[in-house]
Amino acid sequence: MRKIIAQILIFTAIYMAIFALMRAVMLYNLIERDIDDWGGVFWHGLGHDMRTFSAIFLPIFLCGFLSYLGGFIRLNLAKFYQIFSSIYIAIVSFIVAIFAFINYYYYQIYQNKIDMFIFGLKDDDTAALISIIWNDYPVILILLCALVFAILCGYLNSKILKIKFKKSNQPIWILIICNIILIYAYTVALRAHPVYNALRASTYQFSTFKPFNEISTNPIMALSWASKEYKNQANFPYVDINRGKELQKRLFDMFATTKQNSNHAKMHIHFNLMESFGLGLLQEDEKLEKLLLGSLYSHFQSDFVFKRFLPSTNGTIDSLNRILFQSPIINLTSSKFQKTKLPLSVIDIYKKAGYRVVFAYAGNSAWYNINYFLKAQGVDEIIDETILMQEYTNAKESKHPYGIKDEYMYNKIYEIFNNATKPTLIISLGISNHPPYLHKGKNELNLDLNSSEISRYSTDYKALLNAYSYANNSFGDYLNKIKNSKFKDKIIVAATGDHANREYKFDYKNEIAFGISVPFYLYIPQNLQNNIYYDKDRIGSHKDIFPTLYNLSLNNTKYLSMGGRDMLSKPSDTKMEFAMHINVWADNDGIYPISSTKGYRYQNSNTLKNSNDSFELDESKAQFHKLYEEFSYYQLAWRLGLMK
């Protein structure tokens, strides 16, 4: 038993040291240098590691009690145990090393601990993701390091098992007490607390500074949490109809109705969701903004743009689900409801109004099973890279693991509108600003960034900014064509980012919301601009996009609002003036990270950057985000008939 305890303690110490080193490197390379109080990261990290490795070493621990049985010796199982434990520890060591690297790079990209987005490797374009990982990260070096570490740990284990301990002559009752204490201590380690199960997915946050919470977690345990959350999303539990009534009383009505509109179902509509179209890259620098927006810059100056605007989530499919289907379930399109027509979706609303609906994508429409799901929703036509490469001879030359250049998608969209004989809604999704950042314009950007600006990028900043600029230019060139077309007075164009750029580091002290912000752009023909109220500094988020479009194009039409409102109508209820993201929400008073019990006031009234001036939350603000997410699931379950 003493050898087995020695094994557990020695290897737990080694693994904890590996993860402590990982956290130190993450704090040094990925977090602002002027942030202090790092101690909590390592203290809570030790707690997470203790829980994780206690669970991992439980089979070894149980073997220790088997060693008390005489049969264990007589059957000559000692040799078998040596082989088994060496292989087991080598495998665990390999996993520990791999996860240390994965955790570092995952946080670098997503600014988050390992979460259920990691299952995009399975649900997304797996081959494309593997190709990007292979090309952008030192995969061979990581695997070699992990293999060498595993071999060394296996060798060390064999040496530990050869240690000679003096035979114990203690009375049996002392041994019994010692083993009871040992079992209790191991139980405490498994729970990370002597009384209750601490450091769970629901209670792991210890700091108001989100990066500290994320970095302190153990990546193996974080994957376990993510797996449970991912599986739970597929369960679709039933909801209580009375709970929905209660939520509406505490929050707002589930439905709203558009105002009267004489142009009902006469306008074409193009909603464009742009990959990683974050505002953080522009950093409120006029010169850099003009350079990176390219031909889109003039449209940002002449049309309607909201910059105090948040995306729904940090992922493309998740944001798309929430915008089009108001679904908080990330894997809805590939779930058991993939062939179920979802009432009150954007597609359903516009189909009933007489619109032809088209989905255009510069990637492959098999992504997350989106093609089959959209067909079930009634989409009339789906355009993807396969069709675009057939129609445009040069498109194939731009193919990268995730799709082709956005310009070909825009060419096709323009052609559809130009030949349309009835009101048409086109929902499009660009891909050019997605890793591996191969798409760029004819002329590369001439960038002159200083070292502090360059340090904000987690990858090759020149490739990233060229892809970002190309995507913006392509959309700007498309808008130029729209504004010179025969249908320029019969179309509304809206655009936003699916999420901020993932490989751009922002300051968590003052950019909690600003760092993840995206723009909301609107081109509206002059003939529709009669009764418009425009406040460019108005706060909003993805939930407000289609309520705005509904009110511009439909007449007395009931829709599922979920707190969304017309951004071009004068505010009528201050409670509805808020922005919602899965990690933070904001209103006119300030921003509210879900990891904090405080709110933070703005630096000024025309930015999402926060000051260090914090304030305590009243009950309604403290509970708002949690209730909103519950209400989001409730309305989806209600629409799917999951009532009890």
Side-chain angles (χ1 to χ4, degrees):
M1 184 64 168
R2 283 177 290 177
K3 288 184 180 181
I4 289 174
I5 296 301
Q7 281 179 294
I8 294 172
L9 292 177
I10 290 171
F11 284 109
T12 297
I14 291 172
Y15 299 155
M16 282 184 168
I18 292 290
F19 283 141
L21 178 63
M22 170 201 72
R23 293 182 183 104
V25 173
M26 291 173 74
L27 287 168
Y28 183 79
N29 288 336
L30 304 180
I31 305 299
E32 301 79 19
R33 303 293 166 78
D34 61 341
I35 298 292
D36 53 12
D37 193 25
W38 291 6
V41 175
F42 295 101
W43 178 250
H44 282 78
L46 287 174
H48 286 291
D49 294 343
M50 181 173 65
R51 280 202 67 200
T52 302
F53 297 126
S54 297
I56 286 174
F57 282 120
L58 192 56
I60 301 290
F61 185 68
L62 294 176
C63 285
F65 287 95
L66 287 176
S67 68
Y68 287 135
L69 302 177
F72 191 89
I73 305 299
R74 288 196 298 273
L75 293 174
N76 197 27
L77 293 179
K79 186 66 175 177
F80 171 79
Y81 175 75
Q82 180 178 345
I83 295 171
F84 160 74
S85 65
S86 294
I87 293 173
Y88 187 83
I89 284 170
I91 292 172
V92 171
S93 301
F94 184 84
I95 291 171
V96 165
I98 290 292
F99 268 85
F101 286 108
I102 289 175
N103 197 52
Y104 178 90
Y105 288 116
Y106 193 89
Y107 183 86
Q108 184 186 75
I109 296 172
Y110 293 101
Q111 307 285 301
N112 209 52
K113 71 180 186 304
I114 292 172
D115 55 19
M116 65 179 179
F117 282 110
I118 200 169
F119 294 101
L121 188 62
K122 174 177 72 71
D123 297 332
D124 207 327
D125 189 331
T126 304
L129 275 171
I130 291 174
S131 173
I132 291 170
I133 292 169
W134 180 264
N135 291 321
D136 290 359
Y137 301 99
V139 176
I140 296 297
L141 181 61
I142 290 170
L143 291 173
L144 283 174
C145 289
L147 184 60
V148 170
F149 180 64
I151 292 171
L152 287 174
C153 287
Y155 175 76
L156 177 60
N157 182 64
S158 65
K159 291 296 183 182
I160 293 171
L161 291 176
K162 290 179 181 178
I163 297 174
K164 299 293 184 181
F165 288 98
K166 290 183 179 180
K167 189 174 181 180
S168 175
N169 295 316
Q170 298 295 331
I172 188 67
W173 65 270
I174 292 180
L175 292 176
I176 292 173
I177 291 174
C178 287
N179 278 279
I180 290 173
I181 293 172
L182 181 63
I183 292 172
Y184 175 74
Y186 206 92
T187 302
V188 170
L190 281 168
R191 297 163 64 85
H193 195 279
V195 178
Y196 63 90
N197 189 10
L199 298 178
R200 294 167 293 170
S202 58
T203 60
Y204 76 96
Q205 296 176 354
F206 70 93
S207 173
T208 58
F209 189 56
K210 182 175 179 287
F212 283 179
N213 297 323
E214 308 306 295
I215 292 173
S216 71
T217 58
N218 180 285
I220 300 173
M221 181 172 287
L223 180 66
S224 172
W225 294 344
S227 177
K228 289 177 182 177
E229 184 179 3
Y230 182 78
K231 290 175 181 176
N232 287 340
Q233 280 212 342
N235 290 334
F236 294 92
Y238 283 74
V239 297
D240 185 346
I241 192 169
N242 293 320
R243 180 57 175 163
K245 295 175 181 177
E246 182 183 342
L247 288 169
Q248 289 189 77
K249 286 181 181 179
R250 295 187 65 177
L251 296 174
F252 36 70
D253 290 338
M254 191 186 301
F255 299 101
T257 303
T258 65
K259 54 194 174 187
Q260 290 189 347
N261 193 325
S262 58
N263 288 294
H264 175 72
K266 293 180 181 178
M267 307 298 295
H268 296 314
I269 297 170
H270 178 196
F271 169 63
N272 188 31
L273 190 61
M274 299 174 69
E275 173 66 40
S276 299
F277 188 26
L279 284 174
L281 289 174
L282 305 179
Q283 276 302 293
E284 297 180 336
D285 183 321
E286 183 73 16
K287 182 179 177 182
L288 186 61
E289 180 178 0
K290 191 171 184 179
L291 181 66
L292 293 178
L293 289 179
S295 60
L296 184 56
Y297 180 79
S298 62
H299 302 291
F300 264 47
Q301 297 302 303
S302 61
D303 297 323
F304 301 95
V305 180
F306 298 94
K307 292 185 178 180
R308 300 179 78 195
F309 200 82
L310 295 179
S312 305
T313 73
N314 298 319
T316 305
I317 187 62
D318 204 2
S319 286
L320 188 71
N321 273 332
R322 288 179 184 249
I323 294 170
L324 298 184
F325 312 117
Q326 290 179 299
S327 168
I329 304 299
I330 189 173
N331 55 349
L332 176 69
T333 57
S334 54
S335 71
K336 63 183 179 181
F337 293 103
Q338 60 183 270
K339 294 182 180 179
T340 302
K341 191 174 186 301
L342 190 64
L344 296 166
S345 69
V346 167
I347 295 165
D348 186 43
I349 295 286
Y350 276 105
K351 286 289 288 184
K352 287 180 177 177
Y355 274 75
R356 181 171 184 264
V357 180
V358 178
F359 179 74
Y361 180 35
N364 194 295
S365 61
W367 173 73
Y368 279 94
N369 200 46
I370 195 75
N371 50 351
Y372 294 108
F373 186 76
L374 289 174
K375 287 175 184 175
Q377 305 315 307
V379 170
D380 297 286
E381 184 178 9
I382 296 174
I383 307 292
D384 72 351
E385 62 176 8
T386 306
I387 294 170
L388 294 171
M389 286 189 292
Q390 290 175 352
E391 295 196 15
Y392 300 98
T393 55
N394 296 327
K396 195 169 185 179
E397 296 175 8
S398 71
K399 180 82 171 73
H400 79 21
Y402 263 84
I404 60 173
K405 279 189 168 182
D406 290 349
E407 63 189 78
Y408 301 107
M409 178 186 74
Y410 292 130
N411 288 343
K412 182 63 178 179
I413 291 170
Y414 180 86
E415 180 185 319
I416 292 172
F417 281 132
N418 199 42
N419 297 322
T421 57
K422 64 182 294 187
T424 301
L425 164 66
I426 296 183
I427 299 160
S428 64
L429 177 59
I431 206 68
S432 285
N433 195 33
H434 195 288
Y437 304 118
L438 300 180
H439 293 165
K440 57 186 177 182
K442 295 177 182 178
N443 300 313
E444 290 208 27
L445 291 176
N446 183 20
L447 296 165
D448 184 23
L449 301 182
N450 60 45
S451 58
S452 63
E453 290 171 326
I454 292 172
S455 68
R456 279 185 173 259
Y457 299 93
S458 304
T459 186
D460 177 2
Y461 77 94
K462 290 185 178 180
L464 186 152
L465 292 180
N466 269 287
Y468 182 80
S469 176
Y470 165 76
N472 297 338
N473 258 309
S474 295
F475 183 49
D477 291 344
Y478 162 77
L479 289 172
N480 287 336
K481 288 173 66 177
I482 290 290
K483 292 181 179 180
N484 288 292
S485 70
K486 66 182 182 182
F487 54 88
K488 63 181 180 181
D489 295 324
K490 297 181 179 180
I491 185 170
I492 301 166
V493 181
T496 191
D498 54 354
H499 50 74
N501 197 290
R502 291 181 177 133
E503 299 185 69
Y504 179 79
K505 294 180 283 186
F506 55 91
D507 179 2
Y508 272 100
K509 285 175 66 178
N510 302 117
E511 298 177 350
I512 301 171
F514 176 82
I516 58 172
S517 62
V518 295
F520 176 31
Y521 164 86
L522 277 163
Y523 162 68
I524 303 170
Q526 197 65 41
N527 60 304
L528 285 185
Q529 296 186 24
N530 298 323
N531 298 310
I532 280 179
Y533 169 87
Y534 176 47
D535 176 5
K536 66 181 180 61
D537 295 324
R538 193 174 186 180
I539 289 172
S541 60
H542 277 172
K543 67 181 176 58
D544 303 305
I545 292 174
F546 273 95
T548 302
L549 294 176
Y550 291 151
N551 279 285
L552 286 169
S553 58
L554 303 177
N555 179 56
N556 286 332
T557 300
K558 185 179 180 181
Y559 63 92
L560 186 67
S561 69
M562 282 304 296
R565 79 287 198 208
D566 181 3
M567 292 286 286
L568 294 174
S569 289
K570 195 170 183 178
S572 57
D573 183 353
T574 56
K575 191 175 182 180
M576 304 295 283
E577 299 299 304
F578 69 93
M580 183 62 63
H581 179 271
I582 57 171
N583 292 330
V584 62
W585 71 280
D587 62 12
N588 291 327
D589 296 327
I591 69 162
Y592 314 97
I594 63 169
S595 59
S596 175
T597 58
K598 296 181 178 180
Y600 296 86
R601 292 188 172 87
Y602 300 106
Q603 291 183 7
N604 55 65
S605 60
N606 56 19
T607 183
L608 275 179
K609 289 187 176 181
N610 58 285
S611 67
N612 294 323
D613 183 13
S614 63
F615 57 94
E616 296 297 326
L617 306 183
D618 59 31
E619 180 65 18
S620 63
K621 287 188 188 295
Q623 295 295 319
F624 189 76
H625 190 282
K626 181 180 179 181
L627 292 175
Y628 186 90
E629 285 296 298
E630 183 184 354
F631 199 17
S632 292
Y633 180 78
Y634 170 86
Q635 58 80 21
L636 178 65
W638 174 76
R639 290 154 66 206
L640 291 172
L642 300 174
M643 306 300 295
K644 63 179 180 180

